[in-house]
Amino acid sequence: MYSSFAVPVSPRGFHDRIYAGEIACFSGLSPMQALVAFTRGLLEDAFHPHQPPEIHRHLDHDRQVEEFSRLQKAFVQSAEVKRLWSEVFAVLGLDPEKLARDRLHLRFQPHQPPAANLPRARSTATIAFHRDTWGSNLYAQTNWWAPIYPITAGRTFAIYPDLWTRAVPNTSASFDLEAVLARAKIAGRHAVDADDAIPHLSGAVDVGAVEPVVVEPGEVIAFSSAHAHAGVPNSTDFTRISLETRTLWIEDVAAGRGAPNVDGDAPWMAPGWFRRVSDGARLTELLGLNALEPYRRESPVA
């Protein structure tokens, strides 16, 4: 599933290949290894004497939601996390002056029995089938994902490569990001549950090949946000803990370059989610955009 990329990458060549649907897996990056070690330390201090991948055995669902949310907030506010992610990109050859990123997410996916009917809180939910671009309409967007502890095909997420150029029925046309953000601003981020935060499939689909992502802690994968993907329901007795973020090569946003849009029809584009990696400057200020910009997909050429 993974293409070979020499490190440091050529930013132009790397992004063109990502926009064409290739998936990269990078190993041996010392800043990513340091980021995994730092995150393990944060988790192990918080959950002592319990091991973080076993924490669902010791906390009920409500406590998991509370503790995971607290740690996610500490993670995203950590100057060390920001520094190490910036070094990851720099070591790869992606100049932090020319790169913008979304929030730095710490994701928890506890084991849940198949018959469990638990609330789908944002800090614990298995993310449903989607393309990230259904929500953002930024086709230069690249996803980055890395596990903190060992994973298996039973506790990861999966990519659907056969859908790269195939349209699937989805709810993006009725996904009003402006209304979602307004609701979160009034009632708090967790007032918007995991299902409301993204568009979804709206019909049955033959997904073709399913590729579970199984990489080692310290490795990181990169793929276009236009790839269809979904969390694999956690069938193991361990909590999956992972890191993720999304990036934009700023000049590509300005030039309108990116992956193809085969089925995204949401009315808004979301440049306001992104900040320049080097100094935190808002992408909207750099490019003279609003946090939300109206979006309309171009009709295919006959």
Coordinates of all heavy atoms in Angstrom, one line a residue, residues 196-286:
D196 N -22.0 14.2 14.2 CA -22.4 15.5 13.6 C -21.2 16.3 13.1 O -21.4 17.2 12.3 CB -23.1 16.4 14.7 CG -24.5 15.8 15.1 OD1 -25.0 15.0 14.3 OD2 -25.0 16.2 16.1
A197 N -20.0 15.9 13.5 CA -18.8 16.7 13.1 C -18.3 16.5 11.7 O -17.5 17.3 11.2 CB -17.7 16.4 14.1
I198 N -18.8 15.4 11.0 CA -18.3 15.1 9.7 C -19.5 14.7 8.8 O -20.5 14.1 9.4 CB -17.2 14.1 9.7 CG1 -17.7 12.8 10.3 CG2 -16.0 14.6 10.3 CD1 -16.7 11.6 10.2
P199 N -19.4 14.9 7.5 CA -20.4 14.2 6.6 C -20.2 12.7 6.6 O -19.2 12.2 7.0 CB -20.1 14.8 5.2 CG -19.3 16.0 5.5 CD -18.5 15.7 6.8
H200 N -21.3 12.0 6.1 CA -21.3 10.5 6.1 C -21.8 10.0 4.8 O -22.3 10.7 4.0 CB -22.2 10.0 7.2 CG -21.8 10.4 8.6 ND1 -20.8 9.8 9.3 CD2 -22.2 11.4 9.4 CE1 -20.6 10.3 10.5 NE2 -21.4 11.3 10.6
L201 N -21.5 8.7 4.6 CA -22.2 7.9 3.6 C -23.7 8.1 3.7 O -24.2 8.1 4.8 CB -21.8 6.5 3.6 CG -20.5 6.0 3.1 CD1 -20.3 4.5 3.3 CD2 -20.4 6.3 1.6
S202 N -24.4 8.1 2.5 CA -25.8 8.1 2.6 C -26.5 7.0 1.8 O -27.7 7.0 1.5 CB -26.3 9.4 2.0 OG -25.8 9.6 0.6
G203 N -25.7 5.9 1.5 CA -26.2 4.8 0.8 C -25.2 3.6 0.8 O -24.0 3.8 1.2
A204 N -25.6 2.5 0.4 CA -24.8 1.3 0.4 C -23.7 1.5 -0.7 O -23.9 2.0 -1.8 CB -25.6 0.1 0.1
V205 N -22.5 1.0 -0.4 CA -21.3 1.1 -1.3 C -20.5 -0.2 -1.3 O -20.3 -0.7 -0.3 CB -20.4 2.3 -0.9 CG1 -19.2 2.3 -1.7 CG2 -21.2 3.6 -1.0
D206 N -20.1 -0.6 -2.5 CA -19.2 -1.7 -2.6 C -17.8 -1.0 -2.5 O -17.3 -0.4 -3.5 CB -19.3 -2.4 -4.0 CG -18.3 -3.5 -4.2 OD1 -17.4 -3.7 -3.2 OD2 -18.2 -4.1 -5.3
V207 N -17.1 -1.1 -1.4 CA -15.9 -0.4 -1.1 C -14.7 -1.0 -1.8 O -13.6 -0.3 -1.8 CB -15.7 -0.2 0.4 CG1 -16.8 0.5 1.0 CG2 -15.4 -1.5 1.1
G208 N -14.8 -2.2 -2.3 CA -13.6 -2.8 -2.9 C -12.6 -3.2 -1.9 O -12.9 -3.6 -0.8
A209 N -11.3 -2.9 -2.2 CA -10.2 -3.3 -1.3 C -10.3 -2.5 0.0 O -10.6 -1.3 0.0 CB -8.9 -3.0 -2.0
V210 N -10.0 -3.1 1.1 CA -9.9 -2.5 2.4 C -8.5 -2.7 2.9 O -8.0 -3.8 3.1 CB -10.9 -3.1 3.4 CG1 -10.9 -2.4 4.7 CG2 -12.3 -3.0 2.8
E211 N -7.8 -1.6 3.3 CA -6.4 -1.7 3.7 C -6.2 -1.2 5.1 O -6.1 0.0 5.3 CB -5.5 -0.8 2.7 CG -5.5 -1.3 1.3 CD -4.7 -2.6 1.1 OE1 -4.0 -3.0 2.0 OE2 -4.6 -3.1 -0.1
P212 N -6.3 -2.1 6.1 CA -6.0 -1.6 7.5 C -4.6 -1.1 7.6 O -3.6 -1.7 7.0 CB -6.2 -2.9 8.3 CG -6.9 -3.8 7.5 CD -6.5 -3.5 6.1
V213 N -4.4 0.0 8.3 CA -3.1 0.6 8.5 C -2.4 0.0 9.7 O -2.9 0.2 10.8 CB -3.2 2.1 8.6 CG1 -1.8 2.7 9.0 CG2 -3.7 2.8 7.3
V214 N -1.4 -0.7 9.5 CA -0.6 -1.3 10.6 C 0.8 -0.9 10.5 O 1.6 -1.5 9.6 CB -0.8 -2.9 10.7 CG1 0.0 -3.4 11.8 CG2 -2.2 -3.3 10.7
V215 N 1.3 0.0 11.3 CA 2.6 0.5 11.3 C 3.1 0.5 12.7 O 2.3 0.4 13.6 CB 2.8 1.9 10.6 CG1 2.4 1.8 9.1 CG2 1.9 2.9 11.4
E216 N 4.4 0.6 12.9 CA 5.0 0.6 14.2 C 5.1 1.9 14.9 O 5.1 3.0 14.2 CB 6.5 0.0 14.1 CG 6.6 -1.4 13.6 CD 5.9 -2.4 14.5 OE1 6.0 -2.2 15.7 OE2 5.3 -3.3 14.0
P217 N 5.0 2.0 16.2 CA 5.2 3.2 16.9 C 6.6 3.8 16.5 O 7.6 3.1 16.4 CB 5.2 2.8 18.4 CG 4.4 1.6 18.5 CD 4.7 0.9 17.2
G218 N 6.6 5.1 16.2 CA 7.7 5.8 15.7 C 7.7 6.0 14.2 O 8.4 6.8 13.6
E219 N 6.8 5.2 13.5 CA 6.5 5.4 12.1 C 5.3 6.4 11.9 O 4.5 6.5 12.8 CB 6.3 4.1 11.4 CG 7.4 3.2 11.4 CD 7.2 1.9 10.6 OE1 6.0 1.4 10.7 OE2 8.1 1.3 10.0
V220 N 5.3 7.1 10.8 CA 4.2 8.0 10.5 C 3.8 7.8 9.0 O 4.6 7.6 8.1 CB 4.6 9.4 10.8 CG1 5.8 9.9 9.9 CG2 3.4 10.4 10.6
I221 N 2.5 7.8 8.8 CA 2.0 7.7 7.4 C 1.4 9.1 7.0 O 0.9 9.9 7.8 CB 1.0 6.6 7.1 CG1 -0.3 6.9 7.8 CG2 1.6 5.3 7.6 CD1 -1.4 6.0 7.2
A222 N 1.5 9.3 5.6 CA 0.9 10.5 5.1 C 0.1 10.1 3.8 O 0.5 9.3 3.0 CB 2.0 11.5 4.6
F223 N -1.1 10.7 3.7 CA -2.0 10.4 2.6 C -2.9 11.5 2.3 O -3.2 12.4 3.2 CB -2.8 9.1 2.8 CG -3.7 9.1 4.0 CD1 -5.1 9.4 3.9 CD2 -3.2 8.9 5.3 CE1 -5.9 9.4 5.0 CE2 -4.1 8.9 6.4 CZ -5.4 9.2 6.2
S224 N -3.4 11.6 1.1 CA -4.3 12.7 0.8 C -5.6 12.6 1.6 O -6.2 11.6 1.8 CB -4.7 12.7 -0.7 OG -5.8 13.6 -1.0
S225 N -6.1 13.8 2.1 CA -7.3 13.8 2.8 C -8.5 13.5 2.0 O -9.6 13.3 2.5 CB -7.5 15.2 3.4 OG -6.5 15.5 4.3
A226 N -8.3 13.4 0.6 CA -9.4 12.9 -0.3 C -9.6 11.4 -0.3 O -10.5 10.9 -0.9 CB -9.2 13.5 -1.7
H227 N -8.7 10.7 0.3 CA -8.8 9.2 0.4 C -10.0 8.9 1.4 O -10.1 9.4 2.5 CB -7.6 8.6 1.0 CG -6.7 8.0 -0.1 ND1 -7.0 7.0 -0.9 CD2 -5.4 8.3 -0.3 CE1 -6.0 6.7 -1.7 NE2 -5.0 7.5 -1.4
A228 N -10.8 8.0 0.9 CA -11.9 7.4 1.8 C -11.2 6.6 2.9 O -10.4 5.7 2.6 CB -12.9 6.6 1.0
H229 N -11.6 6.8 4.1 CA -11.1 6.0 5.2 C -12.1 6.0 6.4 O -13.0 6.7 6.4 CB -9.7 6.5 5.7 CG -9.7 7.9 6.1 ND1 -9.8 9.0 5.2 CD2 -9.6 8.5 7.4 CE1 -9.8 10.2 5.9 NE2 -9.6 9.9 7.2
A230 N -11.8 5.1 7.4 CA -12.7 4.9 8.5 C -12.0 4.2 9.6 O -11.1 3.4 9.4 CB -13.9 4.1 8.1
G231 N -12.4 4.5 10.9 CA -11.9 3.7 12.0 C -12.4 2.3 11.9 O -13.5 2.0 11.6
V232 N -11.5 1.3 12.3 CA -11.9 -0.1 12.4 C -12.4 -0.3 13.8 O -11.8 0.1 14.8 CB -10.6 -1.0 12.2 CG1 -11.0 -2.4 12.4 CG2 -10.1 -0.8 10.8
P233 N -13.7 -0.8 14.0 CA -14.2 -1.0 15.3 C -13.2 -1.8 16.1 O -12.7 -2.9 15.7 CB -15.5 -1.8 15.0 CG -15.9 -1.3 13.7 CD -14.6 -1.1 12.9
N234 N -12.9 -1.4 17.3 CA -11.8 -2.0 18.1 C -12.3 -3.3 18.7 O -13.0 -3.4 19.7 CB -11.4 -1.0 19.2 CG -10.1 -1.5 20.0 OD1 -9.7 -2.6 19.9 ND2 -9.5 -0.6 20.7
S235 N -11.8 -4.4 18.1 CA -12.2 -5.7 18.5 C -11.2 -6.4 19.5 O -11.3 -7.6 19.7 CB -12.3 -6.6 17.2 OG -11.1 -6.7 16.5
T236 N -10.2 -5.6 20.0 CA -9.2 -6.1 20.8 C -9.4 -5.6 22.3 O -10.3 -4.7 22.5 CB -7.8 -5.7 20.4 OG1 -7.7 -4.3 20.7 CG2 -7.6 -5.9 18.9
D237 N -8.7 -6.1 23.2 CA -8.9 -5.7 24.6 C -7.8 -4.7 25.0 O -7.3 -4.6 26.1 CB -8.8 -6.9 25.5 CG -9.3 -6.5 26.9 OD1 -10.1 -5.6 27.1 OD2 -8.9 -7.1 27.9
F238 N -7.5 -3.8 24.0 CA -6.6 -2.7 24.3 C -7.1 -1.4 23.6 O -7.7 -1.5 22.6 CB -5.2 -3.0 23.7 CG -4.5 -4.2 24.3 CD1 -4.6 -5.5 23.8 CD2 -3.7 -4.0 25.5 CE1 -4.0 -6.5 24.4 CE2 -3.1 -5.1 26.1 CZ -3.3 -6.4 25.5
T239 N -6.8 -0.3 24.3 CA -7.2 1.0 23.7 C -6.2 1.4 22.7 O -5.0 1.3 23.0 CB -7.3 2.0 24.9 OG1 -8.5 1.7 25.7 CG2 -7.5 3.4 24.3
R240 N -6.7 1.8 21.5 CA -5.7 2.3 20.5 C -5.5 3.8 20.8 O -6.5 4.6 20.9 CB -6.3 2.1 19.1 CG -5.4 2.5 18.0 CD -5.8 3.7 17.3 NE -7.0 3.5 16.4 CZ -7.6 4.4 15.7 NH1 -7.2 5.7 15.8 NH2 -8.6 4.1 15.0
I241 N -4.3 4.2 20.8 CA -3.9 5.6 21.1 C -3.0 6.1 19.9 O -2.0 5.4 19.6 CB -3.2 5.8 22.4 CG1 -4.1 5.2 23.6 CG2 -3.0 7.3 22.7 CD1 -3.4 5.2 24.9
S242 N -3.4 7.2 19.3 CA -2.6 7.6 18.1 C -2.6 9.1 18.0 O -3.3 9.8 18.7 CB -3.3 7.0 16.8 OG -4.6 7.3 16.8
L243 N -1.7 9.6 17.1 CA -1.5 11.0 16.8 C -2.0 11.3 15.4 O -1.8 10.4 14.5 CB 0.0 11.4 16.9 CG 0.8 11.1 18.1 CD1 2.2 11.5 17.9 CD2 0.2 11.8 19.3
E244 N -2.5 12.5 15.2 CA -2.8 12.8 13.8 C -2.8 14.3 13.7 O -3.1 15.1 14.6 CB -4.1 12.2 13.4 CG -5.3 12.7 14.2 CD -6.6 11.9 13.9 OE1 -6.6 10.7 14.2 OE2 -7.5 12.5 13.3
T245 N -2.6 14.8 12.4 CA -2.9 16.2 12.1 C -3.0 16.2 10.6 O -2.9 15.2 9.9 CB -1.7 17.1 12.5 OG1 -2.1 18.5 12.4 CG2 -0.4 16.9 11.7
R246 N -3.3 17.4 10.1 CA -3.5 17.6 8.6 C -2.7 18.8 8.2 O -2.6 19.8 9.0 CB -5.0 17.8 8.3 CG -5.8 16.5 8.1 CD -7.2 16.7 8.6 NE -7.3 16.8 10.0 CZ -7.2 15.7 10.9 NH1 -7.1 14.5 10.4 NH2 -7.3 15.9 12.2
T247 N -2.1 18.8 7.1 CA -1.3 19.9 6.6 C -1.7 20.4 5.2 O -2.3 19.7 4.5 CB 0.2 19.6 6.6 OG1 0.4 18.5 5.7 CG2 0.8 19.2 7.9
L248 N -1.3 21.6 4.9 CA -1.4 22.2 3.6 C -0.1 22.9 3.2 O 0.5 23.6 4.0 CB -2.5 23.3 3.6 CG -3.9 22.9 3.9 CD1 -4.8 24.2 4.3 CD2 -4.6 22.2 2.8
W249 N 0.3 22.6 1.9 CA 1.5 23.3 1.4 C 0.9 24.6 0.9 O 0.0 24.7 0.0 CB 2.1 22.5 0.2 CG 3.4 23.0 -0.2 CD1 3.8 23.4 -1.4 CD2 4.6 23.0 0.6 NE1 5.1 23.7 -1.5 CE2 5.7 23.5 -0.2 CE3 4.9 22.6 1.9 CZ2 7.0 23.6 0.2 CZ3 6.2 22.8 2.4 CH2 7.2 23.3 1.5
I250 N 1.3 25.7 1.5 CA 0.6 27.0 1.4 C 0.5 27.5 -0.1 O -0.6 27.9 -0.5 CB 1.2 28.1 2.3 CG1 1.1 27.7 3.8 CG2 0.6 29.4 2.1 CD1 1.9 28.5 4.7
E251 N 1.5 27.3 -0.8 CA 1.5 27.8 -2.2 C 0.5 27.0 -3.1 O -0.1 27.5 -4.0 CB 2.9 27.8 -2.8 CG 3.5 26.4 -3.0 CD 4.9 26.4 -3.6 OE1 5.7 27.2 -3.1 OE2 5.1 25.7 -4.6
D252 N 0.3 25.8 -2.7 CA -0.7 25.0 -3.4 C -2.1 25.4 -3.2 O -3.0 25.4 -4.1 CB -0.6 23.5 -3.1 CG 0.7 22.8 -3.8 OD1 1.3 23.5 -4.6 OD2 0.9 21.7 -3.5
V253 N -2.4 25.8 -2.0 CA -3.7 26.4 -1.7 C -3.9 27.7 -2.5 O -5.0 27.9 -3.1 CB -3.9 26.7 -0.2 CG1 -5.3 27.2 0.1 CG2 -3.6 25.5 0.7
A254 N -2.9 28.5 -2.5 CA -3.0 29.8 -3.3 C -3.2 29.5 -4.8 O -3.9 30.3 -5.4 CB -1.8 30.6 -3.0
A255 N -2.6 28.5 -5.3 CA -2.6 28.2 -6.7 C -3.8 27.3 -7.1 O -4.0 27.0 -8.3 CB -1.3 27.5 -7.1
G256 N -4.5 26.7 -6.1 CA -5.6 25.9 -6.4 C -5.2 24.4 -6.8 O -6.0 23.7 -7.4
R257 N -4.0 24.0 -6.4 CA -3.6 22.7 -6.7 C -4.1 21.7 -5.6 O -4.3 22.1 -4.4 CB -2.0 22.6 -6.8 CG -1.5 23.1 -8.0 CD 0.0 22.8 -8.2 NE 0.8 23.6 -7.2 CZ 1.4 24.7 -7.5 NH1 1.4 25.2 -8.7 NH2 2.2 25.3 -6.6
G258 N -4.2 20.4 -5.9 CA -4.6 19.5 -4.9 C -5.2 18.2 -5.6 O -5.1 18.0 -6.8
A259 N -5.7 17.3 -4.7 CA -6.3 16.1 -5.2 C -7.6 16.3 -5.9 O -8.2 17.4 -5.7 CB -6.5 15.1 -4.0
P260 N -8.1 15.4 -6.7 CA -9.4 15.5 -7.4 C -10.5 15.5 -6.4 O -10.5 14.8 -5.4 CB -9.4 14.4 -8.4 CG -8.5 13.3 -7.8 CD -7.4 14.1 -7.1
N261 N -11.5 16.3 -6.7 CA -12.8 16.2 -5.9 C -13.8 15.4 -6.7 O -14.3 15.8 -7.7 CB -13.3 17.6 -5.7 CG -14.7 17.6 -4.9 OD1 -15.2 16.5 -4.5 ND2 -15.3 18.7 -4.8
V262 N -14.0 14.2 -6.3 CA -14.9 13.3 -7.0 C -16.4 13.3 -6.5 O -17.3 12.9 -7.3 CB -14.4 11.8 -7.0 CG1 -13.0 11.7 -7.7 CG2 -14.3 11.2 -5.6
D263 N -16.6 13.7 -5.3 CA -17.9 13.6 -4.7 C -18.2 14.5 -3.5 O -19.1 14.3 -2.8 CB -18.3 12.2 -4.3 CG -17.3 11.6 -3.3 OD1 -16.5 12.4 -2.8 OD2 -17.3 10.4 -3.1
G264 N -17.4 15.6 -3.4 CA -17.6 16.5 -2.2 C -18.4 17.7 -2.7 O -18.0 18.4 -3.6
D265 N -19.5 18.0 -2.0 CA -20.4 19.1 -2.3 C -20.8 20.0 -1.2 O -21.8 20.7 -1.2 CB -21.7 18.6 -3.0 CG -21.5 18.0 -4.4 OD1 -21.0 18.8 -5.2 OD2 -21.7 16.9 -4.6
A266 N -20.0 20.0 -0.1 CA -20.3 20.9 1.1 C -20.2 22.3 0.6 O -19.4 22.7 -0.2 CB -19.4 20.6 2.2
P267 N -21.0 23.2 1.2 CA -21.0 24.6 0.8 C -19.9 25.5 1.3 O -19.8 26.7 0.9 CB -22.4 25.1 1.3 CG -22.6 24.3 2.5 CD -22.1 22.9 2.2
W268 N -19.1 25.0 2.2 CA -18.0 25.8 2.8 C -16.6 25.2 2.6 O -16.5 24.0 2.7 CB -18.3 26.0 4.3 CG -19.5 26.8 4.6 CD1 -20.7 26.2 5.1 CD2 -19.8 28.2 4.4 NE1 -21.6 27.2 5.2 CE2 -21.1 28.4 4.8 CE3 -19.0 29.2 4.0 CZ2 -21.7 29.7 4.8 CZ3 -19.6 30.5 3.9 CH2 -20.9 30.7 4.3
M269 N -15.6 26.0 2.5 CA -14.2 25.6 2.6 C -13.7 26.2 3.9 O -14.1 27.3 4.3 CB -13.5 26.2 1.4 CG -12.0 25.9 1.3 SD -11.3 26.5 -0.3 CE -11.3 28.3 0.0
A270 N -12.8 25.5 4.5 CA -12.4 25.8 5.9 C -10.9 26.1 6.1 O -10.2 25.5 6.9 CB -12.8 24.7 6.8
P271 N -10.4 27.2 5.5 CA -9.0 27.6 5.7 C -8.7 28.1 7.1 O -7.6 28.1 7.6 CB -8.7 28.7 4.7 CG -10.1 29.3 4.4 CD -11.0 28.1 4.5
G272 N -9.8 28.4 7.8 CA -9.6 28.9 9.2 C -9.1 27.9 10.2 O -8.7 28.3 11.3
W273 N -9.1 26.6 9.8 CA -8.6 25.6 10.7 C -7.0 25.6 10.8 O -6.5 24.9 11.6 CB -9.0 24.2 10.2 CG -10.5 24.0 10.4 CD1 -11.4 24.7 11.1 CD2 -11.2 22.9 9.8 NE1 -12.6 24.1 11.0 CE2 -12.6 23.0 10.2 CE3 -10.9 21.9 8.9 CZ2 -13.6 22.2 9.8 CZ3 -11.9 21.0 8.5 CH2 -13.2 21.1 8.9
F274 N -6.4 26.2 9.8 CA -4.9 26.0 9.6 C -4.1 27.2 10.0 O -4.5 28.4 9.8 CB -4.7 25.7 8.1 CG -5.2 24.3 7.8 CD1 -6.5 24.1 7.4 CD2 -4.4 23.2 7.8 CE1 -7.1 22.9 7.1 CE2 -4.9 22.0 7.4 CZ -6.2 21.8 7.1
R275 N -2.9 26.9 10.6 CA -1.9 27.9 10.9 C -0.5 27.5 10.4 O -0.2 26.3 10.3 CB -1.8 28.0 12.5 CG -3.0 28.6 13.1 CD -2.9 28.6 14.6 NE -4.0 29.2 15.3 CZ -4.1 30.5 15.7 NH1 -3.0 31.3 15.5 NH2 -5.1 31.0 16.4
R276 N 0.3 28.5 10.1 CA 1.6 28.2 9.6 C 2.4 27.5 10.7 O 2.4 27.9 11.8 CB 2.3 29.5 9.1 CG 3.7 29.2 8.5 CD 4.1 30.4 7.6 NE 4.2 31.7 8.4 CZ 4.4 32.9 7.9 NH1 4.5 33.0 6.6 NH2 4.4 33.9 8.7
V277 N 3.1 26.5 10.3 CA 3.8 25.6 11.3 C 4.9 26.4 12.0 O 5.2 26.3 13.2 CB 4.4 24.4 10.6 CG1 5.3 23.6 11.6 CG2 3.3 23.5 10.1
S278 N 5.6 27.3 11.2 CA 6.8 28.0 11.8 C 6.5 29.0 12.9 O 7.2 29.1 13.9 CB 7.5 28.8 10.7 OG 6.7 29.7 10.1
D279 N 5.3 29.7 12.8 CA 5.1 30.7 13.8 C 3.6 30.8 14.2 O 3.2 31.7 15.0 CB 5.5 32.1 13.2 CG 4.7 32.4 11.9 OD1 3.9 31.7 11.5 OD2 5.1 33.5 11.3
G280 N 2.7 29.9 13.8 CA 1.4 29.9 14.2 C 0.5 31.0 13.5 O -0.7 31.2 13.8
A281 N 1.0 31.7 12.5 CA 0.2 32.7 11.8 C -0.9 32.0 11.1 O -0.8 30.9 10.5 CB 1.1 33.4 10.7
R282 N -2.1 32.6 11.1 CA -3.3 32.0 10.5 C -3.2 32.0 9.0 O -2.8 33.0 8.4 CB -4.5 32.8 10.9 CG -4.8 32.7 12.4 CD -6.1 33.4 12.7 NE -6.5 33.4 14.1 CZ -7.1 32.4 14.7 NH1 -7.5 31.3 14.0 NH2 -7.3 32.4 16.0
L283 N -3.6 30.9 8.4 CA -3.6 30.8 6.9 C -4.5 31.8 6.3 O -4.2 32.3 5.2 CB -4.0 29.4 6.5 CG -4.1 29.1 5.0 CD1 -2.7 29.1 4.4 CD2 -4.7 27.7 4.8
T284 N -5.5 32.1 7.0 CA -6.5 33.2 6.5 C -5.8 34.5 6.3 O -6.0 35.2 5.3 CB -7.7 33.3 7.4 OG1 -7.2 33.5 8.7 CG2 -8.6 32.0 7.3
E285 N -4.9 34.8 7.3 CA -4.2 36.1 7.2 C -3.1 36.1 6.1 O -2.9 37.1 5.4 CB -3.5 36.4 8.6 CG -4.6 36.6 9.7 CD -3.9 36.7 11.1 OE1 -2.7 36.5 11.2 OE2 -4.7 36.9 12.0
L286 N -2.5 34.9 5.9 CA -1.4 34.8 4.9 C -2.0 34.9 3.5 O -1.3 35.4 2.6 CB -0.7 33.5 5.1 CG 0.0 33.3 6.4 CD1 0.6 31.9 6.5 CD2 1.2 34.3 6.6

